[in-house]
Amino acid sequence: MRKTLGAIVLSFMMVAGLHAADSEMYGLKKGTPEIKSAGPLAFAPDGVLLVGDPKSAAVFAIATGEKPGAPDKATFEITSLREKLAKAIGGSPAKLNITDLTVNPETGSLYLSVTSGDKPALVKIDAEQNVTPLKLKDVAFAEVKLSDAPADEISGEGRRRRNLRNESITDLAYADGQVIVTGLAAGEGASAVRSVPFPFTTGDQLSRIEIFHAAHGRDEDYAAIRTFVPFNIGGEPHVLAGFTCTPLVKFPVKQLQSQEKVKGTTVAELGNRNQPIDMIVYEKGGKTYLLSANTARGVMKISTEDLEREEGLTEPVKGGGTAGQSFESIADWEGVVQLAKLNDANAVVVMQGADNGWTLKSIALP
């Protein structure tokens, strides 16, 4: 779930690694981060890796120490990825799961959050395609705890019975000096977006959110955003978010940073019985597109034209139908389970085969 931010101009400072002065600037202190669960990943400036830890309801900022490289030249082709990851971190390949994949935009190196059984780990794949665990002992890092996180306990009835703490962080991204975090909060109207200043000088600003879910034909405020991208619409920063079953909704960032509850504008319904996995922004042929990987409906190339319009979907879309932003399905990208933007011309994906094996490769953006 990871983000190259496309239309938003990032204030990345290109320096030769993260030196001591940079560590102090970002408030990073040497130590060992106690990560209980390896969740969504993203990059802040100067090779600082952001790690969402849903179990702890915390976000970690970790200095990778990488020096700027040549991301435009990066290419990847790794078969038997499941086995290579298991060899790097230990454990059985069959019990391995990838939570997220992100790219250091200054180097082209890949970072994955992985779980082996119940053991979380972070893994780096460099430009030479070496697969190595990211060492967390005595690294420069900072941590921020999220406010009003759900209790770490099983709750609910029937199909809704689950531990909501596991959804305290569903995605995150760095944009214009802020770390934006999506997930669930405690209490009614649990769907939430948090904004945390980077460096972590203060706590988070929490806004609860509401959407019109066209496939269900009603307003909802309890389902978490599954994946999102920061996106500039009409000159204003927005969060463009995908939910399960599958509405696409825009939220102005200035409202999320100033209001306790914000109702988004539903700009598309992309079909029911489906969950978005990852979403990236890219430009091709002078136009800007969203590329969304999904659990049941494959990879979609979605138009961003006319997103400035104020009106959104307000009527039900039944029977698995679609409405709003136009899109095309990318049939060649079958089996994508992880998606990230590698550079301006390429994405990097993890594809799962019929035998449940994983292949990681870079691929030209459609």
Side-chain angles (χ1 to χ4, degrees):
M1 320 175 200
R2 61 214 149 344
K3 308 296 184 221
T4 300
L5 303 180
I8 288 184
V9 178
L10 300 181
S11 58
F12 284 127
M13 294 180 293
M14 304 300 287
V15 296
L18 188 69
H19 303 298
D22 298 314
S23 297
E24 293 175 2
M25 175 176 23
Y26 295 128
L28 309 184
K29 304 294 183 183
K30 193 172 183 179
T32 302
E34 296 182 7
I35 297 175
K36 296 181 180 179
S37 61
L41 304 175
F43 267 92
D46 298 317
V48 175
L49 178 66
L50 301 171
V51 182
D53 179 353
K55 193 73 172 176
S56 299
V59 177
F60 291 86
I62 301 172
T64 63
E66 284 199 277
K67 296 181 179 180
D72 290 344
K73 297 180 180 179
T75 60
F76 294 92
E77 180 77 36
I78 299 177
T79 58
S80 302
L81 178 65
R82 185 187 291 273
E83 289 74 18
K84 289 180 173 64
L85 290 171
K87 183 178 179 180
I89 67 173
S92 166
K95 295 182 178 180
L96 204 76
N97 287 295
I98 300 173
T99 304
D100 202 13
L101 163 69
T102 194
V103 178
N104 184 343
E106 298 179 10
T107 67
S109 296
L110 311 182
Y111 289 77
L112 299 93
S113 54
V114 180
T115 301
S116 178
D118 59 356
K119 175 187 174 184
L122 301 173
V123 176
K124 175 184 175 182
I125 304 178
D126 64 21
E128 286 72 42
Q129 306 196 59
N130 298 307
V131 181
T132 56
L134 184 65
K135 296 179 180 179
L136 297 179
K137 182 177 175 60
D138 295 330
V139 297
F141 81 98
E143 175 187 4
V144 63
K145 293 282 189 181
L146 301 183
S147 61
D148 293 325
D152 189 6
E153 62 187 23
I154 302 295
S155 62
E157 301 293 336
R159 292 186 302 169
R160 295 188 181 278
R161 185 170 174 78
R162 64 193 193 277
N163 188 340
L164 298 181
R165 174 61 70 85
N166 296 332
E167 298 176 66
S168 63
I169 303 174
T170 54
D171 203 1
L172 55 76
Y174 171 87
D176 197 25
Q178 300 286 320
V179 179
I180 300 172
V181 184
T182 59
L184 297 181
E188 297 295 323
S191 187
V193 177
R194 295 174 168 91
S195 180
V196 186
F198 184 80
F200 296 153
T201 53
T202 64
D204 61 314
Q205 169 69 42
L206 184 151
S207 282
R208 296 175 188 265
I209 58 173
E210 182 178 293
I211 67 167
F212 177 73
H213 193 144
H216 296 169
R218 62 175 184 256
D219 291 338
E220 295 178 355
D221 63 1
Y222 54 81
I225 291 171
R226 291 300 164 186
T227 184
F228 76 93
V229 289
F231 194 80
N232 199 315
I233 301 175
E236 293 291 334
H238 281 68
V239 167
L240 196 53
F243 293 76
T244 299
C245 192
T246 312
L248 183 66
V249 186
K250 65 178 182 179
F251 299 89
V253 169
K254 65 181 180 181
Q255 291 185 20
L256 294 171
Q257 294 176 341
S258 62
Q259 298 180 20
E260 292 183 358
K261 189 161 189 177
V262 177
K263 184 170 183 179
T265 301
T266 303
V267 298
E269 169 54 50
L270 302 174
N272 64 1
R273 299 182 181 181
N274 177 57
Q275 180 169 302
I277 300 170
D278 282 318
M279 191 159 56
I280 63 174
V281 178
Y282 70 101
E283 294 184 5
K284 193 161 189 175
K287 295 184 178 181
T288 303
Y289 298 96
L290 299 174
L291 198 64
S292 178
N294 301 278
T295 57
R297 294 178 179 261
V299 175
M300 297 176 176
K301 179 182 178 181
I302 305 167
S303 169
T304 66
E305 292 186 356
D306 201 28
L307 278 178
E308 294 87 355
R309 67 186 186 279
E310 293 185 6
E311 69 277 7
L313 301 181
T314 58
E315 297 296 328
V317 178
K318 298 296 185 180
T322 63
Q325 299 301 119
S326 62
F327 69 92
E328 60 177 296
S329 297
I330 310 300
D332 294 343
W333 291 34
E334 184 177 357
V336 170
V337 295
Q338 295 292 332
L339 165 69
K341 186 176 177 183
L342 181 58
N343 49 47
D344 288 342
N346 299 283
V348 60
V349 299
V350 175
M351 291 182 167
Q352 182 167 296
D355 60 354
N356 287 327
W358 293 331
T359 298
L360 182 145
K361 65 179 181 178
S362 49
I363 186 168
L365 289 162

